[in-house]
Amino acid sequence: MAKEKSVGLLRSGMVVGIMTMLSRVLGMVRDVMVAALLGAGGTSDAFFVAFRIPNLMRRLFAEGAFNQAFVPVLSEYATRDNHRETRDLLNAVAGSLAIVLAIVTALGMLFSSQLVYIFAPGFREHPDQFLLTTQLLEVMFPYLLLISLAAYAGSILNSWGRFSIPALTPIFLNVTMIIAVKVAPLFPEPAKVLSWGVLAAGFVQLGFQLPFIAKLRLLPLPKPNFRHPGVQRILKLMGPALFGVSVAQINLMINTMLASMLTAGSVTWLYYSDRMTELPLGVFGVAIGTVILPALSRRHASQDRDHFARMLDWGIRMVLLVSVPAAVAIFLITQPLLITLFKYGRITVHDVEMTAQCLRVMSVGIVAFMLIKVLAPGFYARQNTRMPVKIGMMAMASNMVFNLLLYKHLAHVGLATSTMLSACLNAGMLGWALYREKVLVFQPGWWRFMLRLASGCALMGAGLILFTPERQQWLEWSIYERASVMTLEITVAMVGYVVWLFLTGMRLRDFRMQG
């Protein structure tokens, strides 16, 4: 491979962010349609539990641990500028990964009922719900194999600077699911139609990326070889990363287990509050994390410590510029936002209120969730997986403690609170460890940056408080009135925030960073 020219990280991040925004918007449309179809009860809880199990494992095998271990090793091979060695690595990884995934998928389908027993123990008291969850999981589990291979393909494209294709790929899940929702009412069990839609989306997402890899002359020919030096290094790095990078998902799964023992609908309320926080996280946090990992890996391979530190500092600032106002806005307009998006079909006012309680708490953790996406690559780019694992173990233990303290008194809101607190602890410890190792070196201008950020968010928040109509008004409005007013409010808030940053001296050149 010819060495890639230095690329602007902001530009790459914006490309990924725009593509991801399209996906997230379609994902929100999908969620709105699923909510109207299934409501918030036993059936929706069954679907979301079955959907979450392969997705948790996907985070472990794909975007999470595998990506964080694979990209640094691949970047090192690419830096050698030896196409044959790189192809050998890709072939060995593709074959080895496919075998592992095939075994896990087969076991998952075979022991679906046992997995439901573990991940949703509360469903045992409701045999019909338990059976439906098992049936849905059997259909959706092969999605793990397909989406993990799609994530592998995306890692290759990201490493070669082709960020837009992997960022665009999730759109096909949402489009396929939307089609499934439209078809589902024609069948007696709509949730099963949705599960087949998820499986079909896996095939589409994998197939979409293969021609672009072929264009780079990097299409792998799977040849399992666990003894390949590169594969062994990836496995060595991936072992600890399996836990460290997926703490948030494991915490959410623990919350799902506990929520299954609460009132029907609790799993669904938690799911939708989580989805709302993922909108800013996915659009920008994941975008910055995606482009910064291969860039940091290249800087580490070339031993450019100064640029590595500047890049990490830049990533933190970019994340704060988006996450803090997003957290403030979601916290202040929680109920109007949920009414606008979800109060249709079988979703009731009670469902909106229960989800809003979770979302307010989760919004506080948006900053931490997004910081983790930038701070964790600071370790993985240096092929250091031990420290994130230690920190992840402490964060996960804290989540369990918080659950025990809050679960019985605050029900589903207590579960959301524990997730938020453990994420804050995780981000704080990651940042402190990087600072202590002198990898994170704060660049000049932080006090001025924080003053602009705080004042801009304060003005935006005051505007939202003053000009947001009361809840009853939102309930009485039609979908078009809700959508138009919400769009206007968000647009004015965003424009006002950006204008304030400009008036206080912030310029586009302040955001630029070369990879």
Side-chain angles (χ1 to χ4, degrees), residues 251-477:
N251 285 341
L252 285 173
M253 204 68 236
I254 292 172
N255 289 355
T256 302
M257 293 167 60
L258 294 172
S260 72
M261 296 184 280
L262 296 172
T263 305
S266 296
V267 172
T268 304
W269 301 329
L270 280 168
Y271 174 82
Y272 285 128
S273 63
D274 178 47
R275 290 288 295 166
M276 290 300 298
T277 58
E278 282 188 357
L279 187 59
L281 174 63
V283 171
F284 201 79
V286 172
I288 294 297
T290 297
V291 302
I292 206 172
L293 176 59
L296 287 173
S297 299
R298 287 192 295 269
R299 292 299 170 183
H300 176 68
S302 61
Q303 299 183 343
D304 191 346
R305 293 176 58 89
D306 290 340
H307 199 108
F308 191 104
R310 290 197 302 272
M311 199 179 296
L312 200 56
D313 179 271
W314 170 86
I316 294 172
R317 295 195 197 200
M318 293 301 100
V319 159
L320 291 177
L321 276 175
V322 175
S323 62
V324 176
V328 170
I330 291 176
F331 183 87
L332 293 176
I333 60 171
T334 298
Q335 286 214 2
L337 191 60
L338 290 172
I339 291 170
T340 301
L341 293 173
F342 293 108
K343 181 57 187 75
Y344 310 103
R346 298 181 63 185
I347 293 292
T348 66
V349 174
H350 177 68
D351 294 327
V352 170
E353 291 175 348
M354 295 297 100
T355 306
Q357 292 175 9
C358 293
L359 182 54
R360 286 195 191 94
V361 173
M362 293 288 281
S363 68
V364 179
I366 287 176
V367 178
F369 295 138
M370 291 179 72
L371 281 173
I372 291 170
K373 296 294 182 183
V374 174
L375 295 172
F379 293 97
Y380 294 113
R382 296 180 296 129
Q383 302 182 27
N384 175 1
T385 57
R386 292 184 179 180
M387 184 58 70
V389 168
K390 292 179 181 178
I391 292 173
M393 291 179 66
M394 288 186 279
M396 186 173 174
S398 71
N399 182 63
M400 293 179 180
V401 172
F402 293 141
N403 276 334
L404 291 174
L405 293 175
L406 303 173
Y407 168 63
K408 291 186 178 180
H409 301 290
L410 299 176
H412 63 292
V413 182
L415 300 178
T417 304
S418 67
T419 299
M420 180 270 293
L421 292 174
S422 64
C424 292
L425 184 63
N426 193 355
M429 289 190 293
L430 285 172
W432 173 249
L434 287 170
Y435 179 76
R436 187 181 57 196
E437 293 176 6
K438 297 183 180 180
V439 175
L440 173 58
V441 180
F442 293 107
Q443 306 299 306
W446 262 95
W447 286 109
R448 186 167 61 253
F449 170 82
M450 292 301 296
L451 182 60
R452 290 168 176 165
L453 176 63
S455 58
C457 289
L459 288 173
M460 183 195 70
L464 289 174
I465 292 172
L466 289 174
F467 297 108
T468 300
E470 296 295 325
R471 186 189 74 164
Q472 189 58 38
Q473 182 66 71
W474 291 93
L475 290 171
E476 294 173 359
W477 276 337

Side-chain angles (χ1 to χ4, degrees), residues 89-208:
L89 172 69
L90 294 176
N91 294 342
V93 172
S96 304
L97 180 64
I99 285 181
V100 172
L101 289 170
I103 294 172
V104 172
T105 299
L107 291 174
M109 295 177 68
L110 185 62
F111 297 103
S112 290
S113 60
Q114 287 81 359
L115 286 172
V116 175
Y117 187 91
I118 293 170
F119 285 107
F123 289 3
R124 288 176 293 174
E125 307 299 323
H126 309 280
D128 290 342
Q129 187 182 34
F130 186 93
L131 177 62
L132 176 61
T133 309
T134 301
Q135 292 171 341
L136 296 177
L137 182 58
E138 287 174 349
V139 174
M140 284 192 278
F141 212 97
Y143 178 70
L144 167 65
L145 170 64
L146 298 166
I147 197 59
S148 297
L149 291 176
Y152 166 67
S155 296
I156 298 173
L157 291 168
N158 284 335
S159 296
W160 263 257
R162 307 303 196 268
F163 297 109
S164 59
I165 303 305
L168 188 64
T169 299
I171 286 177
F172 294 104
L173 168 64
N174 299 321
V175 171
T176 307
M177 288 286 290
I178 288 171
I179 294 172
V181 172
K182 298 294 287 185
V183 173
L186 302 176
F187 295 83
E189 295 182 283
K192 290 186 178 180
V193 179
L194 298 186
S195 67
W196 283 106
V198 171
L199 180 60
F203 285 101
V204 177
Q205 288 175 287
L206 175 59
F208 171 69

